[in-house]
Amino acid sequence: MSIRHLELGHGCSVAAPDRSFDSHGGGKPPPPWTSLEGHARGDDGRTYAWSIVTTAALDEPFEGDGDAWRPLPDLAGVRLWLDGGERPVVLVDAPHFGPELLDALQYGPAWVRARVFYPLLTQEEQEWLDGLEQRDAEALVPRVVAALEAELGVPLRVEADRAVRAAQIMLQEGYVISTDHLFSTCGHLFSGPARDLVTSWLAEHTPD
């Protein structure tokens, strides 16, 4: 998805820079935003919604290791976390952020774009995608579980010490980016620490 236009939550619009644009090449310093919401419109007309906040906007210190947050790769020179909610919220471990971070999120790894800039679909489009995802889940989850059982044994139980190997098997079977379908149907087969390790390993190793 090529995102060409941003609409910022405070009402100001800016054109998305070309990918060859050097956002570090001088000019005004980055605006001292502590929070920003908005949407990005792609070339195909679809809209992607997102929200970004900084630690400075929080009322209390942020530890970054809670169940609701997971770390993102270091982008634009700052530490980031992504929450697990329906609306993507990126937390920035910095007092402010500027266009460099928005550039990095737009043009970064594909799985980051898929979570931070996600489409707000019509009901008909959403129903079609839900059906497609359900068919995919019904075929893919059993295949992944069978592959895990073939190597890790039956009954299957993945603890933290086997989580990386489990994630490698999942990737080989084509299960990438999201573990939602697997953990919603077979979550009891994975310990809590194993779920976290599998999710973070796939996020780091999934090809763009």
Side-chain angles (χ1 to χ4, degrees):
M1 174 62 60
S2 174
I3 297 174
R4 305 304 306 157
H5 193 267
L6 298 178
E7 299 284 349
L8 303 184
H10 52 61
C12 177
S13 299
V14 296
D18 185 86
R19 297 190 63 171
S20 61
F21 175 77
D22 181 6
S23 56
H24 298 279
K28 296 181 179 179
W33 293 319
T34 57
S35 64
L36 189 65
E37 293 187 357
H39 60 268
R41 187 169 60 251
D43 290 339
D44 63 353
R46 285 188 173 177
T47 298
Y48 294 73
W50 44 268
S51 177
I52 303 173
V53 299
T54 71
T55 52
L58 303 178
D59 294 331
E60 54 189 41
F62 175 76
E63 300 299 333
D65 56 0
D67 293 338
W69 298 90
R70 66 175 172 129
L72 289 170
D74 184 19
L75 295 174
V78 293
R79 297 170 64 196
L80 306 174
W81 288 271
L82 181 68
D83 80 339
E86 180 179 352
R87 180 180 179 85
V89 178
V90 177
L91 183 70
V92 184
D93 185 12
H96 61 79
F97 61 90
E100 295 87 351
L101 176 57
L102 295 176
D103 291 349
L105 292 171
Q106 287 184 82
Y107 303 121
W111 75 270
V112 172
R113 296 196 305 272
R115 280 292 290 122
V116 177
F117 297 97
Y118 77 107
L120 299 176
L121 305 174
T122 66
Q123 182 175 354
E124 182 180 4
E125 289 172 329
Q126 187 63 63
E127 290 175 353
W128 184 87
L129 284 178
D130 288 344
L132 185 66
E133 290 179 356
Q134 186 61 40
R135 291 191 297 272
D136 182 57
E138 290 172 353
L140 188 55
V141 169
R143 188 175 81 230
V144 168
V145 171
L148 291 170
E149 290 177 338
E151 180 158 339
L152 303 181
V154 179
L156 178 64
R157 178 64 180 176
V158 180
E159 299 292 347
D161 60 340
R162 301 201 294 178
V164 170
R165 181 57 192 143
Q168 291 172 336
I169 295 170
M170 292 168 61
L171 187 61
Q172 292 168 3
E173 294 296 320
Y175 207 110
V176 298
I177 301 178
S178 173
T179 54
D180 292 346
H181 288 306
L182 180 67
F183 289 160
S184 65
T185 56
C186 305
H188 62 286
L189 302 178
F190 296 77
S191 68
R195 290 195 201 189
D196 294 339
L197 284 172
V198 166
T199 301
S200 62
W201 191 93
L202 285 174
E204 293 173 2
H205 293 83
T206 298
D208 285 348

